[in-house]
Amino acid sequence: MSPAARSARKRVELYNLVVAGDDGEHVAIVYQSPMTLKDGSNVDVGSMEIFSVVAGKITEVWNCGYKQGVWS
């Protein structure tokens, strides 16, 4: 795993990482997170993010926002 992918993986430590990959210039992650709401009910949310990496630093981030559910 590239340093950029490791950096992105650290960003989602609180989530369940589903997929992570990189092409040397971009890193993509797909993740989901189980949560317990104040009323005690459980819900899962998921999302994806794509990072542009220059000189080992994240310079841009694209994401699709959170959606309820899990990745299948």
Side-chain angles (χ1 to χ4, degrees), residues 8-27:
R9 184 177 293 256
K10 286 180 185 177
R11 183 178 168 98
V12 293
E13 286 176 346
L14 299 176
Y15 303 96
N16 295 325
L17 189 61
V18 178
V19 176
D22 70 277
D23 66 2
E25 183 179 350
H26 300 92
V27 175

Side-chain angles (χ1 to χ4, degrees), residues 4-62:
R6 279 193 297 276
S7 176
R9 184 177 293 256
K10 286 180 185 177
R11 183 178 168 98
V12 293
E13 286 176 346
L14 299 176
Y15 303 96
N16 295 325
L17 189 61
V18 178
V19 176
D22 70 277
D23 66 2
E25 183 179 350
H26 300 92
V27 175
I29 58 172
V30 175
Y31 56 92
Q32 60 197 40
S33 178
M35 293 185 265
T36 302
L37 303 179
K38 289 181 181 181
D39 67 3
S41 61
N42 294 314
V43 66
D44 292 286
V45 297
S47 189
M48 69 174 73
E49 297 192 22
I50 301 169
F51 304 90
S52 175
V53 181
V54 176
K57 296 185 180 195
I58 296 172
T59 58
E60 294 180 86
V61 178
W62 300 274

